[in-house]
Amino acid sequence: MDYITLNDENRLPAFGLGTWGLRGESCADTVAKAIGLGYQLIDTARMYGNEKDVGRGIRLSKVRRERLFVTSKVCSPYTSYQAAKRIVEESLDALGLEYIDLYLIHEPYGTSPEMYEALKEAKKQGLIRSIGISNFNEAEYLDFIKGCGIIPAVNQVENHVYFLRSDLQKMMKAHGTVMQGWAPFTEGMRPVFKEKILKDIGKRHGKTAGQIALKYLLQNGVPTITKSSHVERLKENLDIFDFSLTAEEIKEIHGLDEGKSLFGWY
């Protein structure tokens, strides 16, 4: 596993499991199996309604807590300082953890600054290791950091071969924030597994189009999360650390960038 050092010196695994849409025993079982395969980063959120299931999966894995990196997020309607402070404690209780590695504001709100104050306090108390934001565009990010005090360690945003967001990544890096990607396979919005460029490059390396899509993001310094409940796909997604793309291959893939969101977040 590769790692990226955040602005607070904590290390973020370059690749992890997203749990959006997973519920109940299926969620717990998937989390446990993924950890058993070697996944270290597990991503959840209050919005997903599955923190208890994720926590159960972590316990089922029987892996030592310090080997894992767990992310969660606060969202509407918990958009005040007091509500955000309460939700951090509720997330800890639901997950059954003493601390959360990374806690994000799930999307921009008018009250994001006061929500962030609650996260800063939780970080100071040791309840959260790193804090950040999610789905903030360039203007929203720049406005937010003017008075945030602690620069967000991460901004988790939509990122895939059709929406590379290189300018956002470069700008945030200059301020000390890592761009982490979600939806590397576009959640079915584009036929990424059938993309000819990715399939052709994959043949050269003995990899699938999906593995090439993931490797491209990681090789360009974008840690990413993706979801699957199928063991074989979980294995396949993790098997991307034994090869590198050439400069020419990276240039080919870069040509797929359409420069626009597939989900309307931005």
Side-chain angles (χ1 to χ4, degrees), residues 167-227:
D167 290 342
L168 174 63
Q169 180 188 17
K170 182 178 180 181
M171 180 267 289
M172 291 196 303
K173 183 177 181 180
H175 290 283
T177 299
V178 168
M179 185 172 81
Q180 183 184 40
W182 57 263
F185 297 145
T186 77
E187 304 290 347
M189 299 291 286
R190 289 286 189 279
V192 64
F193 301 117
K194 298 180 180 180
E195 186 64 60
K196 186 177 186 304
I197 289 175
L198 301 179
K199 290 176 68 176
D200 288 348
I201 293 174
K203 289 178 182 178
R204 301 172 204 159
H205 295 277
K207 300 293 182 180
T208 66
Q211 288 172 314
I212 298 302
L214 292 176
K215 185 64 176 184
Y216 173 81
L217 300 177
L218 268 59
Q219 202 163 317
N220 279 279
V222 182
T224 191
I225 54 174
T226 188
K227 182 196 74 175

Side-chain angles (χ1 to χ4, degrees), residues 87-107:
I87 290 305
V88 170
E89 296 174 353
E90 291 186 9
S91 288
L92 286 165
D93 182 64
L95 287 161
L97 301 176
E98 294 183 356
Y99 67 90
I100 295 171
D101 296 275
L102 176 63
Y103 210 85
L104 309 175
I105 296 175
H106 206 143
E107 56 188 340

Side-chain angles (χ1 to χ4, degrees), residues 3-58:
Y3 300 87
I4 292 178
T5 301
L6 302 177
N7 60 18
D8 54 14
E9 301 305 318
N10 291 322
R11 295 204 310 162
L12 174 74
F15 180 71
L17 176 73
T19 63
W20 178 83
L22 295 176
R23 298 283 192 283
E25 289 305 314
S26 175
C27 178
D29 183 61
T30 297
V31 169
K33 287 179 178 176
I35 293 173
L37 291 171
Y39 283 74
Q40 296 174 10
L41 190 162
I42 308 297
D43 182 280
T44 182
R46 297 297 297 183
M47 187 183 289
Y48 303 166
N50 63 5
E51 286 176 318
K52 286 186 178 181
D53 303 321
V54 168
R56 188 160 65 254
I58 290 172

